[in-house]
Amino acid sequence: MLSAGTRGMMLLVVALAAAVLGGCATYKPAPKVFHEATIQPYRLDSGDRLRVTVFEQASLTNTYTVDQAGYIAFPLVGQVAARGATVSQLEGVLAQKLRQGFLRDPDVTIEIDRYRSIFVMGEVGQPGQYAYVPGMTVLNAIAVSGGFSTRANQRDVDVTRKINGNILTGRVPITDPILAGDTIYVRERLF
């Protein structure tokens, strides 16, 4: 027969194991589409700042920001949808709109002047909003945000990413690439 102390200790171990295993069940690895998004052409969204150059048209050449609704306000043609478009697609749309009664054969080029921010949360030195740099990995983002805290899980993190209008969250290793607009959450380690 087990003593009350031993029985209590066994119940505590079982409860702890259930909590640990239950916590593991709430997180899922990143779906395939999550990783495929990192090798697709960059898609514009709110917060991206674009440098638009219209050849020999100094009055149209300027920097434009994609607003919260996903549009840029472009002279002569008005609001132009940018959200979800690639840079080359937006170049084509602007050129086509300018051909409609404004310019004979416009030559439009677009460069991304500043990417939308990334967000780093959880067990890092300084959680917050940070500038995205192409080619960044999760580890780079953590380094920019002050590194891991003493309680951080340093193997993998949860990343929330917008893909084709859907917001997905997946657990990825710290060596994975990230995209502009991603939110990175560094969890606390259990032991």
Side-chain angles (χ1 to χ4, degrees):
M1 193 134 222
L2 297 173
S3 71
T6 305
R7 197 171 340 145
M9 183 61 90
M10 287 179 63
L11 287 173
L12 181 63
V13 169
V14 169
L16 182 60
V20 169
L21 294 175
C24 293
T26 60
Y27 292 99
K28 296 179 182 174
K32 186 177 181 182
V33 68
F34 199 83
H35 296 292
E36 290 172 352
T38 62
I39 57 172
Q40 299 299 318
Y42 184 76
R43 300 281 175 177
L44 300 170
D45 208 341
S46 300
D48 287 329
R49 188 168 66 195
L50 310 174
R51 175 80 180 150
V52 180
T53 305
V54 182
F55 185 65
E56 293 186 350
Q57 298 295 322
S59 62
L60 297 177
T61 297
N62 206 343
T63 303
Y64 302 90
T65 301
V66 181
D67 66 17
Q68 288 295 346
Y71 292 86
I72 61 169
F74 199 78
L76 301 179
V77 298
Q79 297 284 77
V80 179
R83 176 177 286 142
T86 64
V87 168
S88 61
Q89 288 171 337
L90 187 57
E91 287 172 344
V93 168
L94 283 174
Q96 184 249 342
K97 287 186 177 282
L98 287 170
R99 263 188 223 101
Q100 297 173 349
F102 301 107
L103 299 174
R104 184 177 304 144
D105 191 23
D107 183 8
V108 179
T109 58
I110 300 175
E111 299 172 347
I112 298 175
D113 184 54
R114 185 190 70 215
Y115 292 86
R116 59 191 177 273
S117 300
I118 58 166
F119 303 87
V120 185
M121 305 179 345
E123 296 296 328
V124 293
Q126 296 182 327
Q129 177 178 344
Y130 294 94
Y132 171 77
V133 178
M136 257 182 142
T137 64
V138 171
L139 191 57
N140 297 140
I142 291 168
V144 168
S145 65
F148 290 111
S149 74
T150 56
R151 298 184 312 262
N153 174 355
Q154 298 184 19
R155 289 187 340 180
D156 52 26
V157 299
D158 295 323
V159 175
T160 301
R161 177 174 295 157
K162 187 176 185 181
I163 302 171
N164 299 327
N166 298 317
I167 297 175
L168 303 172
T169 299
R171 187 165 288 171
V172 299
I174 61 172
T175 55
D176 264 24
I178 60 171
L179 299 174
D182 280 357
T183 299
I184 299 158
Y185 182 75
V186 179
R187 294 179 326 280
E188 185 176 1
R189 61 185 158 84
L190 296 174
F191 299 102

